[in-house]
Amino acid sequence: MAKFTVGLVPHPSKPVVESIDVLRAWKKGAGVHLIALRDDAARVGDGVELVDEEEFVERVDVVVSLGGDGTMLGAMRLVAPRPVPVLGVNYGNVGFLVEIEPSELEAALEGLAEQDFSLESHHAIEVSVTSLGFESSFLAFNDLAITRRPGQGVVTADLTVDGTPYGYYKADSVVASTPAGSTAYNYAAGGPIVSPAVAAVVVTPVAPMAGIDRSVVLGPKERLTFTVGEGTRSAALELDGRVVLDVGEGTVVKVRLRRDAGVVARLDASRHGRKGRLKLSLMDLPLRNDQLLELVPPEIRARFDRQH
């Protein structure tokens, strides 16, 4: 077994002790070292070295995320300065990014040790926000949203692309997403599903009242700028579902696609793809019964046929 360091990123509140125990037992194998952030000490327990964020990013060879898609997105943002493979263990709900269930972790770790996995690159959105003379920078793997506060009117924003005026929005929210994020807020707002093989940014208004009222798909080299306009009394900037800033009239939000900003470890990419399509179909992607059946793994179909 090759020597390597595994970083642990646990869910901030859900109990993941079952998987931590599996990882600790696996750690006894030759050459495997477990590390985690000091802030996660209470969640990972004994037998795991605690380090600061800079050392974590510098030393880790692979990351195991124990949670849902939100935890996995956080792990990917954490190691974005030095992208390494991230394996997701599902302690969430729907989970489009996470691949394996806790009961599958032991076998998955052996696959990691034998380097029997494929790599799936993910694009991200680099975000620069200027407000009241201050500038802040962020990274999002799914999406950003400029969204109104409840009871505080609407969001208005002008969009320019590479410095050329493109139009304006007046809506509850404006969402800019990566291809991976196209199945999240963008999809819920009626936007298109974009293949992960495509490098693009999708901009979709939520409940538009005026201006641009449908999705726009923009290329990987195009620079987007949203200027929050008059009439926006109180709004929030959300990145991957987290509120990071309050924004108001005059705030400038610059967006560009960063290609291959993160890497996901896939033990069985084809199975994960089938599961993802099944989850989408359950959310309302229109499929006939026979097409839906094709998404069910063969072993489950065979078991069902035997019972009926």
Side-chain angles (χ1 to χ4, degrees), residues 100-297:
I100 66 170
E101 299 301 319
S103 61
E104 302 171 313
L105 178 57
E106 189 171 356
L109 293 175
E110 292 307 313
L112 284 182
E114 299 300 325
Q115 298 188 354
D116 183 19
F117 59 90
S118 59
L119 298 178
E120 179 181 282
S121 293
H122 281 254
H123 308 313
I125 295 174
E126 292 181 343
V127 183
S128 172
V129 184
T130 303
S131 179
L132 301 175
F134 296 95
E135 185 173 348
S136 304
S137 297
F138 305 95
L139 191 71
F141 278 94
N142 260 7
D143 51 38
L144 73 84
I146 304 170
T147 186
R148 76 180 185 98
R149 300 279 189 182
Q152 295 297 314
V154 298
V155 167
T156 63
D158 293 337
L159 171 64
T160 62
V161 179
D162 290 336
T164 301
Y166 204 94
Y168 78 98
Y169 295 92
K170 184 177 181 180
D172 280 0
S173 302
V174 180
V175 180
S177 74
T178 65
S182 69
T183 57
Y185 199 175
N186 163 77
Y187 181 68
I193 297 173
V194 179
S195 167
V198 177
V201 176
V202 186
V203 183
T204 299
V206 178
M209 297 166 226
I212 303 171
D213 64 354
R214 62 195 64 200
S215 298
V216 176
V217 181
L218 298 163
K221 294 183 180 180
E222 294 181 297
R223 307 294 182 94
L224 288 64
T225 301
F226 298 97
T227 303
V228 180
E230 184 178 357
T232 305
R233 296 202 303 269
S234 177
L237 179 69
E238 294 183 3
L239 297 175
D240 288 343
R242 305 165 302 128
V243 174
V244 296
L245 284 176
D246 293 325
V247 296
E249 182 179 346
T251 299
V252 176
V253 181
K254 295 182 179 180
V255 178
R256 67 187 293 268
L257 191 71
R258 177 175 160 189
R259 302 180 73 160
D260 303 326
V263 183
V264 173
R266 292 287 179 222
L267 279 300
D268 189 338
S270 61
R271 186 188 74 151
H272 178 74
R274 290 195 303 271
K275 287 171 68 177
R277 290 192 297 274
L278 177 60
K279 289 169 183 175
L280 278 173
S281 73
L282 295 174
M283 288 171 63
D284 77 359
L285 190 67
L287 290 176
R288 299 191 308 267
N289 289 341
D290 60 316
Q291 292 173 323
L292 187 60
L293 187 61
E294 290 176 3
L295 300 179
V296 179

Side-chain angles (χ1 to χ4, degrees), residues 56-57 60 63 74-86 258 261-263:
F56 185 100
V57 175
V60 75
V63 173
M76 292 168 69
R77 287 193 300 268
L78 175 62
V79 296
R82 179 178 161 263
V84 297
V86 179
R258 177 175 160 189
V263 183

Side-chain angles (χ1 to χ4, degrees), residues 26-73:
W26 179 64
K27 168 183 177 286
K28 297 176 182 178
V32 178
H33 192 70
L34 300 180
I35 65 174
L37 296 177
R38 289 194 174 92
D39 289 346
D40 291 328
R43 286 180 283 277
V44 300
D46 298 331
V48 180
E49 182 184 358
L50 302 174
V51 299
D52 60 26
E53 186 173 311
E54 183 178 352
E55 187 176 352
F56 185 100
V57 175
E58 185 179 283
R59 290 177 53 189
V60 75
D61 296 307
V62 64
V63 173
V64 175
S65 166
L66 304 168
D69 280 357
T71 306
M72 192 161 178
L73 289 168

